Amino acid sequence: MGQRRLSNAQSDDLSKRPASGQPKKKSNIAALNQTSTRKGEVFRAQRRTSENVNVRASQHMIDVPVNKSIYNGYDGRQFSTAEWKRQPRTKGPVLKVMPIGGLGEMGIGKNMMAIEYDNDIIVVDCGFLFPGSDYPGINYITPDITYLLENKHKVRAWVFTHGHLDHIGAFRHIIHQLPAPVYGSKFTLAMVKRTMEEATSGYEPAYNEMDPESHERVQIGDSFNIELVRVNHSIPDATAVVIRTPMGVLVDTGDWRFEENPVDGKKFDLERLTEISAKEGILMLMNESTNCESEGTHNHGEPEIQASLGQVMEKYPSNRLIISCFSSQLHRMQGILDEAKKSGRKVAFAGYSMIQNVEVGLRTGVIKVPKDVVVKMEDIVKMPDGKVTIVCTGSQGEFNAVLNRMASGAHKHIKIKNSDVVVFSSNPIPGNEKYVVRTVDGLMREGSDVVQNGKSHLTGVGPLHLSGHGYYDDHVKLISALNPTYYMPIHGEFHMLVHNAELAEKECAIPRSNIFVCDSGDVIEITADGAKKNGRIPVGGIMYDDSGAVVSEVVLKDRIHMSQEGMFVVVLTVHKGSGRLLTSPDIISRGFIYLRDSEELMNLMRQYLKQKVQRSFGGRRPDMDQLKKELKDEITHLLYDQTRRTPIVIPVINEIGGGGGQQQGGGNRDNRQQRGNNRPATDGQVKPFAAPAAKKFPPKQVPDSDAIEPRAKADTRGY
């Protein structure tokens, strides 16, 4: 009821439908109509590339990292900024422990710790991190010091544990922004001063040398009292830092290992740390994590390595020896010098960083050179092979290091020959094995003998390397001896921190609630009621290239994008008045396609560009910004349709001639003349051109220890 049925339903108007098999035109340009790819697919491909680039370029950025470890300080719950803001602020005196770098990041390095109480802050270490091939053109990354700059008035001192670059490398970029006295052992301060020679700020801080053997204590501000305690490491004069605060004693171990017979006779001063623990108690132990996953303990020391090097010299009395090791292993170099003296050999050092470190060692008395043993590289070629020993860098297969250049013939003085014996006094860093193998293959192709650590069954030579970091049993021994109330693993990737925490709970009976696995930026607050993790501070990284200049994130993203997809540039030269193309479109491809092998695609591209210019100008002047955007989108569409790749597309439009151009040019001349009239008179004399002052560029930084070598590199083969 109340309804009326139509007797005849109206049929569709078929004339309005597109003809079967003839899809609707996408554009008035023929080249675009020939594409088989939808715009949405191209957009998704661009987005995938952009996301991949962003992920790769943001590894150094730290916002709120995922940390659901049972030791994360929140009972395994993920930290939430919103939840933290709702928490009441801590009342009363608070001791804050804030790692600014070095914990759970993209590699080992960038170590930096800030300790704050009331109106005082001290900073322990200030290193950088080598990012490796993930970051093309980036030499190293320094910590973001935003929080310290906001509290600049509180910074009272810089304290350094030892002289490796992952602990001192960033200092020259930061000290002029946060001026304060510097404290450390003799050799460590000498290494800091050497890095400051490359600083451009002109600021020179006050250096205060401390003696670990005399248990010297220094008052810092109103809140802190510091003491350095001797530890052993792969670099001389390494120390732990004891920080006495109103809340209790903190200990930052720095990097360490136990040695029974150290080269300089200065053993790990565990007795002093145990004495402090017994008399004062240790509130928090901040212990490095680099090799805590390695089983057992060290079963040899530097004296055994020196004996092995002497064994090589005895075994090859008539051969030229080339020994490769890390540039900071001065105790290893002392052993080489002593064995060379016994064998009647001369020693030459090769590699910028190695020579610099040897000079620091000589000035501080760390190295004692036997008489008439060290010679210059250029004098080596005049001597018989049996009298020659060369100590150089390149033990990790670095492509441009001295050892590889010797093998390829690119070195100024030395070319590897079939009578040479090359000794690797190091172990390959995880991830670097294939690059070391590449170097070894290159050396053996030249006919030389290669002696590596851990292959005694092949070479008949004993151990040739010793890690600078303690193993599992060493950590158990140290933690048990100090028996801290709270424990914080530091200096390592996240898996190392977690295993260090598990070790402390399982082997040393530290309660799980008293162990904190942190990320850089976390804040540990210690009050009279106990310790808790409470919030975060801004942290991250600042990138530098080989010249020591800051590199922005945008530049890095473009480099990564170009390394993956390449770059495609089109240059259009048009008449300003008519919009007519004056020349054939210029097309430049870099890292994308080889133009001579892609004539069909280039013809298609030129056809599109000619039609696009003709349609866009057509007697009117288009919006140039809009035209460039359309060119970029449509060229990307065409290239993806033909190649399934999304390079960086850069359209360039040059407008030449035309009445408007002449008027604009005349106007510019008038403006220039008017600006010239406003300048002060010079009595007809033309002021000579003043060339800018020549810039001084620091040398490229290279890893100087086995903990900070980048893990990944480009796959380049020697043969």
Side-chain angles (χ1 to χ4, degrees), residues 355-595:
I355 293 172
Q356 291 288 307
N357 291 346
V358 169
E359 288 180 355
V360 174
L362 290 172
R363 287 199 302 267
T364 55
V366 168
I367 285 185
K368 294 178 174 57
V369 179
K371 187 177 180 180
D372 298 330
V373 170
V374 175
V375 295
K376 295 180 180 179
M377 282 294 295
E378 49 265 36
D379 296 333
I380 285 288
V381 295
K382 307 171 187 175
M383 299 179 181
D385 288 353
K387 298 294 182 181
V388 173
T389 300
I390 300 169
V391 185
C392 66
T393 56
S395 62
Q396 294 303 307
E398 301 97 323
F399 195 69
N400 290 319
V402 172
L403 190 58
N404 256 328
R405 284 188 283 134
M406 288 179 180
S408 64
H411 193 270
K412 184 177 180 181
H413 301 292
I414 301 298
K415 173 72 171 74
I416 296 293
K417 54 187 179 181
N418 58 10
S419 61
D420 288 340
V421 177
V422 182
V423 180
F424 282 79
S425 186
S426 63
N427 282 340
I429 303 301
N432 282 357
E433 291 89 352
K434 65 179 180 180
Y435 308 108
V436 175
V437 168
R438 175 196 63 195
T439 300
V440 171
D441 282 356
L443 294 168
M444 297 189 77
R445 283 177 182 271
E446 296 292 342
S448 64
D449 286 338
V450 176
V451 180
Q452 292 178 274
N453 182 50
K455 296 186 177 180
S456 299
H457 60 292
L458 298 176
T459 62
V461 175
L464 291 168
H465 182 62
L466 174 66
S467 170
H469 304 269
Y471 288 177
Y472 188 96
D473 290 350
D474 299 323
H475 283 266
V476 173
K477 178 181 177 181
L478 179 65
I479 300 168
S480 300
L482 302 190
N483 190 28
T485 304
Y486 298 102
Y487 185 71
M488 181 179 174
I490 58 174
H491 302 175
E493 296 168 349
F494 193 77
H495 64 96
M496 301 175 184
L497 304 180
V498 172
H499 288 145
N500 196 347
E502 292 173 348
L503 174 157
E505 182 187 17
K506 176 183 175 183
E507 304 286 354
C508 307
I510 297 180
R512 180 179 297 178
S513 58
N514 289 8
I515 301 174
F516 298 97
V517 170
C518 298
D519 289 284
S520 297
D522 286 343
V523 178
I524 303 294
E525 292 187 345
I526 304 176
T527 65
D529 297 327
K532 64 177 181 179
K533 189 186 286 189
N534 191 9
R536 290 182 55 78
I537 60 173
V539 292
I542 309 298
M543 298 177 289
Y544 289 83
D545 61 17
D546 292 352
S547 69
V550 176
V551 180
S552 73
E553 186 185 347
V554 175
V555 173
L556 175 63
K557 288 180 179 179
D558 284 344
R559 288 177 180 174
I560 294 174
H561 193 162
M562 285 188 285
S563 72
Q564 294 177 340
E565 301 289 328
M567 179 176 68
F568 194 82
V569 182
V570 295
V571 182
L572 304 175
T573 304
V574 299
H575 189 272
K576 191 173 183 67
S578 64
R580 179 172 54 87
L581 270 175
L582 297 179
T583 64
S584 178
D586 290 323
I587 298 175
I588 304 167
S589 171
R590 291 292 181 269
F592 172 55
I593 56 172
Y594 187 49
L595 296 182

Side-chain angles (χ1 to χ4, degrees), residues 568 570 605 608 631-639 649:
F568 194 82
V570 295
M605 192 59 60
Y608 156 76
L631 282 169
K632 182 177 179 180
D633 292 343
E634 291 172 358
I635 290 172
T636 301
H637 190 172
L638 285 169
L639 294 178
V649 174

Side-chain angles (χ1 to χ4, degrees), residues 653-691:
I653 303 176
N654 295 324
E655 292 182 287
I656 297 177
Q662 292 174 355
Q663 292 175 4
Q664 184 178 358
N668 287 342
R669 285 194 294 273
D670 292 341
N671 290 339
R672 287 195 294 270
Q673 185 177 1
Q674 184 177 0
R675 287 196 296 270
N677 292 336
N678 290 335
R679 294 173 183 166
T682 58
D683 298 329
Q685 295 181 358
V686 179
K687 188 176 180 180
F689 172 73

